[in-house]
């Protein structure tokens, strides 16, 4: 196979600093709209389709699952209220925002803030001071260990062009994030690929932001394996209008309240 970028000549010495530098690369991103092709494999078989989406930090999301005739389902969350309009079954589900409810459409059991981080090429992290780092063929391999026994491995890749650059000039890109329970079993795994630089209207110097155009999320408990391939991403310089992340049930649909069980 092709050689991987691996460890730079002068690597980071502090894992905390490497993590801070990576997260700072998307600090100017506040909102985006995008189009993606979603390929989901799970217990119910394989589902593929085009999704139009809006994200606004920290936790506001909207997903329109499209067909040739228009949307088949629309999921919205304003950070607290969850709503899902399923036009195929004439149902309107509403309840609190939580991983179980967001997973009803995407097969990905994540909260709005976690999902937004993943789609921006970032990851939620364990809250811990026990952090170690090694530098290998994939780049920086950072391990976080929580007091309850859970561990998280985060792999930050280094661009080939930055192999000789000092740590403060290296552009780090998240390649993999994996959370394991205390017994060693995988809670979830996310991988990132196909990074492209997207123009950033919020950067005063006119620079772009490198975002993954391929994000894959695996949930072993549900058997869900979801691959998101972005066709286009547009970063926004103004807040998304309020109504985008809330819905009202159209006439004739069955309205149901759902919980987070």
């Amino acid at each position: 196979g092709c050689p991987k970028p691996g460890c730079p000549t002068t690597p980071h010495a502090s894992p905390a600093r490497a993590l801070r530098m990576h997260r700072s690369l998307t600090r100017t991103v506040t909102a985006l709209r995008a189009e993606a092709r979603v390929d989901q494999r799970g217990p119910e078989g394989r589902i593929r389709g085009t999704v139009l989406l809006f994200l606004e930090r920290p936790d506001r999301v909207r997903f329109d699952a499209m067909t040739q005739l228009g949307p088949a389902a629309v999921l919205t969350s304003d950070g607290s209220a969850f709503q899902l309009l399923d036009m195929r079954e004439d149902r309107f589900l509403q309840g609190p925002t939580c991983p179980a409810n967001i997973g009803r459409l995407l097969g990905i059991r994540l909260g709005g803030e976690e999902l937004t981080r993943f789609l921006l090429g970032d990851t939620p992290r364990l809250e811990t001071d026990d952090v170690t780092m090694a530098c290998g063929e994939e780049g920086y391999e950072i391990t976080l260990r929580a007091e309850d026994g859970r561990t998280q491995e985060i792999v930050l890749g280094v661009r080939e062009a930055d192999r000789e650059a000092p740590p403060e000039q290296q552009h780090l890109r998240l390649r993999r994030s994996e959370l394991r329970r205390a017994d060693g079993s995988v809670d979830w795994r996310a991988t990132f690929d196909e990074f492209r630089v997207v123009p950033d209207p919020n950067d005063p110097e006119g620079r772009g932001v490198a975002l993954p155009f391929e994000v894959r999320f695996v949930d072993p408990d549900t058997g869900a394996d979801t691959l998101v391939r972005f066709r286009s991403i547009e970063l926004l310089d103004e807040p998304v209008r309020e109504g985008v992340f809330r819905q009202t049930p159209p006439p004739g649909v069955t309205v149901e309240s759902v919980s987070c069980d």
Side-chain angles (χ1 to χ4, degrees):
C2 298
K4 297 181 179 180
C7 189
T9 302
T10 307
H12 274 276
S14 166
R17 185 185 182 196
L19 289 170
R20 285 197 305 270
M21 286 191 62
H22 168 259
R23 183 159 284 178
S24 72
L25 294 177
T26 57
R27 65 188 181 279
T28 59
V29 178
T30 58
L32 65 79
R33 62 178 163 224
E35 178 181 339
R37 185 73 176 172
V38 177
D39 187 343
Q40 178 187 330
R41 302 170 188 262
E44 298 181 0
R46 185 177 185 181
I47 303 173
R48 290 182 290 180
T50 296
V51 174
L52 306 180
L53 59 94
F54 279 92
L55 303 176
E56 186 172 59
R57 281 178 162 173
D59 55 6
R60 291 159 39 117
V61 298
R62 178 187 178 106
F63 299 91
D64 292 53
M66 305 299 293
T67 68
Q68 293 181 344
L69 302 178
V74 180
L75 181 152
T76 55
S77 169
D78 62 1
S80 59
F82 157 85
Q83 296 163 321
L84 173 61
L85 173 61
D86 188 339
M87 301 178 189
R88 297 160 298 189
E89 299 185 7
D90 290 329
R91 301 170 68 203
F92 186 87
L93 308 183
Q94 58 186 6
T97 296
C98 58
N101 280 338
I102 288 181
R104 292 176 186 274
L105 177 64
L106 302 176
I108 302 175
R109 298 185 307 166
L110 295 169
E113 183 172 1
E114 295 174 318
L115 185 58
T116 299
R117 284 197 183 280
F118 279 125
L119 295 178
L120 287 173
D122 196 0
T123 177
R125 302 173 188 165
L126 286 177
E127 295 291 337
T128 178
D129 293 326
D130 186 353
V131 186
T132 58
M133 180 172 67
C135 202
E137 66 173 15
E138 290 187 281
Y140 296 105
E141 300 169 1
I142 301 172
T143 303
L144 299 85
R145 298 177 177 84
E147 292 184 358
D148 60 7
R150 291 180 299 158
T151 60
Q152 183 178 8
E153 185 175 272
I154 297 173
V155 176
L156 300 178
V158 181
R159 297 187 312 171
E160 181 65 31
D162 292 341
R163 286 289 303 278
E164 306 298 327
E168 64 272 13
Q169 296 179 13
Q170 295 170 15
H171 294 73
L172 305 180
R173 296 174 176 178
L174 181 63
R175 293 295 183 181
R176 177 165 54 86
S177 181
E178 181 173 300
L179 183 66
R180 290 183 176 270
R181 303 183 183 91
D183 63 4
S185 62
V186 176
D187 191 347
W188 51 255
R189 180 187 302 112
T191 55
F192 308 81
D193 207 348
E194 298 295 330
F195 283 81
R196 304 179 197 174
V197 176
V198 178
D200 184 2
N202 296 307
D203 191 308
E205 299 182 20
R207 295 169 296 188
V209 178
L211 297 175
F213 272 61
E214 185 173 298
V215 180
R216 182 181 180 188
F217 189 87
V218 176
D219 184 341
D221 286 346
T222 63
D225 185 341
T226 303
L227 177 63
V228 180
R229 288 191 177 99
F230 286 100
R231 291 174 172 171
S232 65
I233 299 177
E234 179 187 2
L235 303 184
L236 306 177
D237 58 356
E238 295 182 357
V240 181
R241 59 183 176 85
E242 191 66 29
V244 168
F245 301 108
R246 291 192 70 89
Q247 302 180 74
T248 55
V253 302
T254 301
V255 179
E256 305 175 34
S257 295
V258 293
S259 68
C260 290
D261 296 334

